[in-house]
Amino acid sequence: MKTPTIDFGACTLCEGCIIVCPEVFSLNPAGYIEVADLAGYPEEDVEEAMKLCPVSCIHWEESP
């Protein structure tokens, strides 16, 4: 399964991913973007968030 991951060192907290794909991305209480723990991710919406990210810090990670 593919899981979206975020490079927190590069993330500018623009929150574009939250606007495009709120079922996957959210802002946690510590002030970082968080990826929801889901059984599956809406690939089209996550891909759109990746395209809109100004610093390209969202990537897919293959889970075993």
Side-chain angles (χ1 to χ4, degrees), residues 2 4 9 26 31-32 36 50-51 59:
K2 294 192 315 186
S26 62
Y32 293 98
M50 289 176 174
K51 289 177 193 173
H59 304 280

Side-chain angles (χ1 to χ4, degrees), residues 7-51:
D7 176 353
F8 296 111
C11 181
T12 62
L13 297 172
C14 73
E15 299 185 23
C17 56
I18 297 171
I19 293 166
V20 171
C21 193
E23 64 274 18
V24 174
F25 302 102
S26 62
L27 192 62
N28 70 19
Y32 293 98
I33 301 295
E34 185 172 77
V35 176
D37 186 17
L38 303 174
Y41 296 91
E43 288 193 34
E44 271 188 38
D45 293 341
V46 172
E47 292 283 341
E48 186 66 21
M50 289 176 174
K51 289 177 193 173

